[in-house]
Amino acid sequence: MASHIVGYPRMGPKRELKFALESFWDGKSSAEDLKKVAADLRSSIWKKMSGAGIKYIPSNTFSYYDQVLDTTALLGAVPPRYGWAGGEIGFDTYFSMARGNASVPAMEMTKWFDTNYHFIVPELGPEVKFSYASHKAVDEYKEAKALGVDTVPVLVGPVSYLLLSKPAKGVDKTFSLLSLLDKILPIYKEVISDLKAAGASWIQFDEPTLVLDLDSQKLKAFSDAYAGLESALSGLNVLVETYFADVPAEAYKILSSLKGVTAYGFDLVRGTKTLDLIKGDFPKGKYLFAGLVDGRNIWANDLAASVSTLEELAAVVGKDKLVVSTSCSLLHTAVDLVNETKLDNEIKSWLAFAAQKIVEVNALAKALAGEKDEAFFAANAGAHASRKSSPRVTNEAVQKAAAALKDSDHRRATNVSARLDAQQKKLNLPILPTTTIGSFPQTVELRRVRREYKANKISEEEYVKAIKEEISKVVKLQEELDIDVLVHGEPERNDMVEYFGEQLSGFAFTVNGWVQSYGSRCVKPPIIYGDVSRPKAMTVFWSTAAQSMTARPMKGMLTGPVTILNWSFVRVDQPRFETCYQIALAIKDEVEDLEKAGINVIQIDEAALREGLPLRKSEHAFYLDWSVHSFRITNCGVQDTTQIHTHMCYSNFNDIIQSIIDMDADVITIENSRSDEKLLSVFREGVKYGAGIGPGVYDIHSPRIPSTEEIADRINKMLAVLETNILWVNPDCGLKTRKYAEVNPALKNMVAAAKLLRTQLASTK
């Protein structure tokens, strides 16, 4: 029995890559310094897997930004605006595509399937001249080999790459991206040839789009692609890896008949129906890479149950052709439980991070080979029994209250048009009101204050004083900029989910449980281990303090229940919607306390609502029903004059626009600028939206500062499809990752653009 890991976290156990990237971007270190940190991390990862007994160890899963951008570099598919003149793609071009630069914007960034990880969307068209422009895959294979580790090089498969791309600006939206298949296959053949020459015996193609609902034309592209690569792949063992969901029956037929393919990898955690397909018909003599160790959560594997499943699969494919694997890359989980010094022992015994999952994979492989580690299995069984019986997991009152929610749809009594009229009388806002999304830059000093308070190095009084001073600065800045609806900047929060989880029951927290979201951005998801409730108010103190500093409306800032759920590691012993309803009740209590305290505008962020949408269309309606219901629960009890905002970012929203309308928020702010204003197309197609809406007017994930004219042009495009009286002006997302040197001029230009348009609109009346 052999073992395999689909991929591994890149940032390092203490976020070493994050700090190296940011130091390089800030000009404080050289490219060679960055490469040295990266090489040390890769070496550590390969040696860890080798030492744990893993047979099939991946290479080329390390990335300075994301694996799709790496593939764009490999193929030389650089948009002309970056001025790339050919040759090997270096950091300047690579990071300009990812982050933009002083003169050109970044490429679009969107969510990687239904995860909180992001990728840079390739921009393709008939005029793209593909070339072999990055030798990273081969270089990393050789690098590992020099360390004595023979790896399986991993490439994003050619069909998934094209299906995850979009037509470049100026290219007809109906352009068939798959028509480019014959143009990119020669580049793949060159890479394969180089890998063979370097000594590779296996190669892994990640084709995760096979789990989507694909039509016959798209499915045929997989057959065409691998038939086209067959001769180049001769002499290699070829693994095609899928993950994140079941592979549909038609896709399974195509996959299992691909030419030149030796092995198939399946997610058997989120894709349990695939088991029936495997048992019904698995191609003779092929390898099955069985993804039974969850790559997207942090719970210890149920080893006994996994062995039982493996024995069933061995009877179908044979033990010599069965490989134990992770369900997907471990990129989506935390790095190493060893670094967690503050988790209590009971909860810690229930968990497995990436380093522990490697051990689980190998333990399962050895058990099936007759070398079961009895002590390891016994400890695992004991941990599972402890979790099932622990009194800290269950709160009967919470469960009863959540169960009762199913009896109502929790809508506000008055329609949104009447509510907006009542709110306008109270708030007296100008047309095209300006606001920001919530957070302001998190300075080094601010992080130091929070860190010292958590370490008990400063008193609560000193902490409150420092945070209030920061809030005062942010309020004063917004007033100077003449922003209409203010935020307090969230200086007391390191993370929008972690902050709330720390104050809710049923959550546990890590010290170093960081997970990459995009680029150098890492998040530390809370662990929801039990029933959720709110012991006391969470934000009222800071929101009322901020409101006392200004006569302008101050938004109360909350994270919505669906986003808290989707950005946490969630318990798996009850349905996700039940946990979400519990969180919704806790947020509802907070909303009503904010209203009582005099906060008239309350934002309940649902940045991750679209992210959690199942990958299969047949499952959409159920998810959207309970997720939208959860949001409505949070604010169904407020007065008409209390304005409820929500915010969503970095996903394709057009296919769920009716559900967004059904959320019944008074105002929604939503990502728009980085995706070429894709959102606006839904309104051009005739969708009527009656609530307030603020499509983002500039991209905050790039350091680039947009001009007043550029922002005004974006607002004009919005006014072409949206009514003047519902349009808001705001950035795409929160500002915490930016510097004040970038934020101040960008917001100044944003307000100037709004005022310019107000003047123009007034003159046309």
Side-chain angles (χ1 to χ4, degrees), residues 331-403:
L331 171 70
H332 308 288
T333 191
V335 179
D336 196 339
L337 199 53
V338 169
N339 298 318
E340 299 308 322
T341 54
K342 294 187 178 179
L343 275 174
D344 71 66
N345 289 334
E346 183 182 33
I347 291 179
K348 200 170 181 178
S349 74
W350 303 343
L351 308 178
F353 291 0
Q356 289 68 47
K357 289 177 186 291
I358 289 173
V359 176
E360 289 180 337
V361 167
N362 201 52
L364 288 168
K366 290 176 74 175
L368 205 63
E371 302 171 35
K372 184 177 179 182
D373 184 334
E374 296 291 352
F376 187 69
F377 271 68
N380 176 266
H384 278 274
S386 156
R387 189 167 155 221
K388 283 179 182 175
S389 61
S390 176
R392 67 200 300 179
V393 171
T394 305
N395 182 324
E396 287 187 14
V398 170
Q399 292 200 346
K400 188 175 179 181

Side-chain angles (χ1 to χ4, degrees), residues 286-334:
K286 303 291 187 180
Y287 287 86
L288 170 62
F289 281 61
L292 284 167
V293 173
D294 194 350
R296 288 184 59 174
N297 217 325
I298 41 66
W299 303 108
N301 187 268
D302 185 340
L303 297 178
S306 292
V307 166
S308 177
T309 301
L310 286 167
E311 287 172 344
E312 290 179 39
L313 293 170
V316 176
V317 305
K319 282 189 179 181
D320 61 323
K321 298 294 184 184
L322 183 58
V323 179
V324 182
S325 184
T326 53
S327 65
C328 61
S329 173
L330 297 175
L331 171 70
H332 308 288
T333 191

